[in-house]
Amino acid sequence: MTIHKAWIGLTSVLWMSSTLLTGCMEKQPVLSVEKPPQAVTEPALPIPTPNASTLPETKEPEATAEQPHDKVTLASTETPAKTEQGVTGEAPKPSKPKIDISEPYTQAKPTLLGLTLKTSSAAVEEKFGKPKEQFVMDEEADPITVYDYKDFLIGFSTEKKVEFIDVRSKELDPGLGGLRLGGTVSEVQEALGKPHSTTGLVITYKASGAILKLDLDPKTQTVNSIKLFAE
C-alpha cells in the first residue's frame, strides 16, 4: 500500500509539472524568421551598336545675322595714352625754323637763307624766333654776338647787323639756286656759275660787299660748309 501511494503521488507530481510546462510553452510567442525576398533579375538584353545608316542626320546651324556683340570694331581698341614726350613715349623732334627764300643769292645782292649782311637781329628773331643758344666771339676790335639755331649760325656786329651766316644742315635750302650741303663741284658751278677762285678745298665767289665761301670735303669733293660774310 505504501509503495502504491508513493507511486500515485509521484505520478501526480509529474502530471502537474507536465501540465505547467505545457502551459508555459503555449503562452510564449512563436518567433518566425522571414527570409528577405530575392530580387528577380531579368536577363540582360544586348545593346544594339549604332551604324551610319541608323544615325539621325545632323544639320549645321544656319547662318544668322551678326549680333552687336559678335562684331569687333576699332572703337573697342584702347589707344595708348599720350605723354608729354609724344604718343609713343618718344621725345618729339625739335621743329626746324621755316626758311622762306623770297630773295635768292645774286652777285649784285648777295643773300643766304634770305638774309643780307644788313639784316638786323630783330628781323632775324622775327623770322626764325629766339636762338637755341647765344654766345659772344670776343674780338678786340669788334666782338660778334652769335645766334646758334643748330642748323645754322648767324653772327651780329655791335650795331646788331648780320656779320656772317654759316649753314650747317643738308636739310636747309640756303637759296643758292638749289645747291645744298653735299653738292658736288659741278653742281656748284651749275648753280652759281664760274667761281672767282677755286682750290681742292675752297670755292670762292665775290659779290657786292660780301664773299660767298664753300668749303669742300677733300675726300669726296662735295660741299661741307657754306658761309657768307662781309668782304
Side-chain angles (χ1 to χ4, degrees), residues 30-174:
V30 178
L31 300 177
S32 61
V33 179
E34 296 182 357
K35 295 182 179 181
Q38 297 181 355
V40 179
T41 58
E42 295 181 359
L45 296 177
I47 300 174
T49 303
N51 51 46
S53 62
T54 60
L55 290 176
E57 295 182 359
T58 57
K59 296 182 179 181
E60 297 182 356
E62 296 181 357
T64 58
E66 294 182 351
Q67 300 298 326
H69 60 273
D70 294 333
K71 296 182 180 180
V72 178
T73 63
L74 294 177
S76 62
T77 305
E78 296 182 0
T79 56
K82 294 184 179 181
T83 63
E84 293 182 357
Q85 293 184 339
V87 176
T88 60
E90 297 180 356
K93 295 182 179 180
S95 59
K96 296 182 180 296
K98 184 178 179 181
I99 308 297
D100 182 16
I101 308 300
S102 57
E103 297 182 5
Y105 173 90
T106 64
Q107 290 188 356
K109 189 176 182 179
T111 62
L112 199 60
L113 299 176
L115 305 175
T116 69
L117 297 180
K118 295 180 180 180
T119 305
S120 66
S121 59
V124 171
E125 290 186 20
E126 183 178 355
K127 185 172 184 179
F128 300 126
K130 294 288 184 180
K132 303 296 182 181
E133 295 181 9
Q134 181 176 331
F135 58 92
V136 177
M137 296 175 62
D138 191 8
E139 300 288 341
E140 293 182 1
D142 189 6
I144 298 175
T145 301
V146 180
Y147 283 8
D148 187 353
Y149 287 95
K150 300 303 180 183
D151 291 330
F152 57 93
L153 303 176
I154 301 177
F156 299 94
S157 65
T158 54
E159 297 177 354
K160 296 185 179 181
K161 300 293 183 179
V162 173
E163 186 75 16
F164 74 84
I165 305 168
D166 184 0
V167 177
R168 295 186 171 188
S169 174
K170 295 181 179 180
E171 298 180 10
L172 298 181
D173 180 6

